[in-house]
């Protein structure tokens, strides 16, 4: 069968070989990005769900409108505006099937084959694949401890052809854990205006801060209507319910709504109502504070174990939040080989090249997730990674 060129350009990833081992329950996985199940508010959700089935099934089980369930949209609009200063008169908020759909819809309405999308190097593979599926010319912009290098970003905006989108994860970035500084955020908003380009601000980890100072979203500085904000309840409530949202300039938002109609008609109405009720009846900020306590402990434990088991043989960035840590083996060694050795010892880590625009590039970095493993698994897994490193560096 001859498949479409769009999909043919999406190659099965080489890291599958490593991630395959995570199917084995005896494997300690630092590979996935899954939130910890103990953070899911299952009890509150079961109370709301029972009420929805008992009293509002005629609405909850019916078709809805593409923009989303109105009380949920209103609650998101209010929360984002009042709490974070995100969204103004020129913006539209609508509900999506996860934050992933915001990225996919933006690519769908803006990117023609061969158009350029600028992204951080490294970046989130789900977004890179969305851009690849529209045959975008992906260009990675280097990062440092303060996030993406905005001078290099401006250079690329000047020199690359047909730049349609800039894709950034400014807060607790996946995979690097870096957070874009305030100055650079303002500069990104200015560059978007100056070069008349849309920027996706993908911010699913924004609420998961464990240390450091609050930095406002780039969208707060969006005077020109160029920032498409992607939010999600995946990391603060549950990823399985697939509830995300965008706050985007009306011109592009309206096109994305038309595109969404074709994709999935609307996001699962039952879970939209469930999240809408949750926001009305419970205190999301209190829940976020509780899960941040859980993750802060896990993050600190991973830092402690990295220091103990890796010593100065690898460098790493201390994240202020999010779910990931990014490690680099000095001397230009290939982290793919290291991760392969670790997977043979039943510990899964993701090699840095899988987050690259060009996966065939050699990366000496690797990503570890700290949200899922229990403290015992983390102790054991990090000790095995330390031993693997000793063998690898021989
Ligand atoms: C940076 C980034 N963006 C978007 C997503 C997609 O999240 P959602 O579950 O909201 O679709 C993820 C999920 O891991 C992510 O890491």
């Amino acid at each position: 069968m001859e498949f479409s060129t769009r999909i043919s350009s999406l190659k099965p990833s080489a890291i599958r070989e490593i991630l395959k081992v995570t199917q084995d329950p005896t494997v300690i996985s630092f590979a996935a990005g899954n939130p910890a199940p103990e953070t899911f508010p299952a009890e509150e959700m079961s109370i709301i769900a029972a009420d929805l089935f008992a009293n509002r099934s005629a609405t909850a089980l019916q078709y809805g409108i593409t923009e989303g369930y109105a009380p949920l949209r209103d609650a998101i609009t209010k929360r984002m505006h009042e709490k974070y200063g995100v969204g103004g008169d020129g913006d539209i908020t609508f509900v999506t099937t996860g934050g992933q759909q915001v990225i996919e819809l933006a690519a769908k309405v803006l990117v023609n084959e061969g158009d350029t999308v600028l992204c951080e190097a490294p970046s989130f593979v789900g977004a890179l694949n969305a851009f690849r599926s529209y045959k975008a010319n992906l260009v990675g912009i280097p990062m440092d401890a303060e996030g993406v290098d905005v001078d290099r970003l401006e250079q690329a905006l000047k020199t690359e052809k047909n730049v349609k989108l800039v894709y950034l994860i400014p807060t607790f970035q996946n995979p690097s854990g870096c957070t874009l500084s305030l100055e650079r955020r303002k500069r990104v908003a200015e560059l978007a205006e100056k070069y008349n380009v849309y920027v996706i601000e993908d911010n699913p980890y924004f609420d998961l801060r464990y240390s450091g100072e609050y930095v406002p979203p780039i969208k707060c500085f969006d005077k020109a209507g160029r920032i498409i904000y992607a939010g999600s309840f995946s990391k603060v409530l549950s990823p399985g319910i697939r509830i995300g949202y965008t706050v985007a300039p009306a011109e592009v938002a309206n096109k994305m709504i038309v595109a969404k109609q074709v994709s999935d008609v609307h996001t699962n109405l039952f879970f939209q109502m469930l999240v809408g009720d949750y926001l009305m009846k419970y205190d999301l900020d209190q829940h976020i504070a509780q899960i941040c306590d859980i993750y802060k402990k896990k993050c600190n434990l991973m830092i402690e174990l990295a220091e103990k088991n890796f010593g100065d043989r690898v460098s790493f960035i201390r994240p202020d939040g999010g779910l990931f840590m990014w490690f680099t083996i000095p001397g230009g060694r290939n982290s793919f080989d290291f991760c392969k050795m670790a997977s043979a010892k039943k510990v899964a880590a993701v090699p840095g090249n899988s987050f690259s625009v060009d996966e065939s590039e050699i990366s000496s970095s690797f990503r570890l997730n700290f949200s899922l493993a229990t403290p015992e698994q983390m102790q054991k897994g990090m000790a095995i990674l330390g031993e693997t490193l000793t063998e690898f560096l021989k």
Side-chain angles (χ1 to χ4, degrees), residues 98-100 124 167 169 174 202 204-205 232 234-235 242:
Q100 174 72 26
F124 167 53
Y167 170 72
I169 310 152
N174 177 8
D202 186 18
Y205 303 102
S232 176
S234 285
K235 305 292 159 34
R242 310 300 307 129

Side-chain angles (χ1 to χ4, degrees), residues 94-127:
F94 68 90
V95 181
T96 59
T97 302
Q100 174 72 26
Q101 193 177 43
V102 180
I103 303 162
E104 209 268 338
L105 292 177
K108 197 173 186 175
V109 305
L110 290 166
V111 177
N112 284 318
E113 181 174 345
D115 285 345
T116 298
V117 176
L118 305 177
C119 61
E120 292 143 329
S123 185
F124 167 53
V125 69

Side-chain angles (χ1 to χ4, degrees), residues 151-170:
D151 291 329
R152 300 280 288 269
L153 178 63
E154 175 154 26
Q155 195 57 33
L157 284 165
K158 272 187 198 155
T159 55
E160 295 291 338
K161 278 201 192 119
N162 294 335
V163 181
K164 286 292 186 61
L165 263 175
V166 177
Y167 170 72
L168 300 176
I169 310 152

Side-chain angles (χ1 to χ4, degrees), residues 39 41 44 48 79 83-84 207 233 236-237 274-291:
T39 65
E44 293 89 334
I48 299 169
R79 179 176 167 85
K83 191 169 165 65
Y84 302 116
D207 283 315
F233 289 98
V236 293
L237 288 180
L274 192 145
V275 173
D277 268 29
Y278 184 92
L279 294 178
M280 266 178 287
K281 294 180 178 156
Y282 298 95
D283 186 344
L284 178 63
D285 289 320
Q286 194 187 343
H287 175 69
I288 289 171
Q290 282 165 357
I291 67 179

Side-chain angles (χ1 to χ4, degrees), residues 20-258:
K20 245 184 348 208
V21 301
T22 62
Q23 304 295 322
D24 173 350
T26 64
V27 163
I28 298 174
S29 179
F30 299 125
N34 294 10
E38 64 266 31
T39 65
F40 302 155
E43 235 177 86
E44 293 89 334
M45 284 186 173
S46 74
I47 295 168
I48 299 169
D51 177 57
L52 284 175
F53 279 124
N55 302 312
R56 285 176 289 160
S57 62
T59 310
L61 302 179
Q62 190 51 278
Y63 279 119
I65 60 166
T66 306
E67 289 87 339
Y69 178 60
L72 175 61
R73 276 180 85 192
D74 293 347
I76 294 169
T77 308
K78 189 164 180 274
R79 179 176 167 85
M80 292 312 295
H81 189 70
E82 289 177 2
K83 191 169 165 65
Y84 302 116
V86 162
D89 290 344
D91 291 304
I92 288 179
T93 302
F94 68 90
V95 181
T96 59
T97 302
Q100 174 72 26
Q101 193 177 43
V102 180
I103 303 162
E104 209 268 338
L105 292 177
K108 197 173 186 175
V109 305
L110 290 166
V111 177
N112 284 318
E113 181 174 345
D115 285 345
T116 298
V117 176
L118 305 177
C119 61
E120 292 143 329
S123 185
F124 167 53
V125 69
L128 298 184
N129 280 339
F131 301 132
R132 286 178 183 130
S133 76
Y134 290 100
K135 306 206 80 186
N137 167 42
L138 275 171
V139 177
I141 311 293
M143 303 176 75
D144 59 29
E146 280 184 51
V148 74
D149 180 333
V150 280
D151 291 329
R152 300 280 288 269
L153 178 63
E154 175 154 26
Q155 195 57 33
L157 284 165
K158 272 187 198 155
T159 55
E160 295 291 338
K161 278 201 192 119
N162 294 335
V163 181
K164 286 292 186 61
L165 263 175
V166 177
Y167 170 72
L168 300 176
I169 310 152
T171 318
F172 320 133
Q173 203 240 14
N174 177 8
S176 72
C178 288
T179 294
L180 192 68
S181 67
L182 178 63
E183 283 318 304
R184 291 191 189 183
R185 283 169 194 247
K186 291 180 181 165
R187 179 93 185 277
V188 168
E190 285 162 16
L191 291 177
E193 180 170 5
K194 182 171 171 188
Y195 293 92
N196 193 26
V197 67
Y198 281 114
V199 175
I200 301 177
E201 176 177 27
D202 186 18
N203 224 8
Y205 303 102
F206 184 54
D207 283 315
L208 302 181
R209 177 178 283 282
Y210 323 130
S211 59
E213 280 205 8
Y214 175 82
V215 202
I218 302 171
K219 181 77 180 155
C220 293
F221 309 108
D222 182 25
K223 294 193 196 87
R226 283 285 165 268
I227 314 291
I228 299 167
Y229 185 92
S232 176
F233 289 98
S234 285
K235 305 292 159 34
V236 293
L237 288 180
S238 139
I241 61 174
R242 310 300 307 129
I243 304 290
Y245 54 92
T246 182
V247 183
E251 188 188 25
V252 67
N254 283 324
K255 287 284 182 219
M256 287 164 72
I257 290 165
V258 173

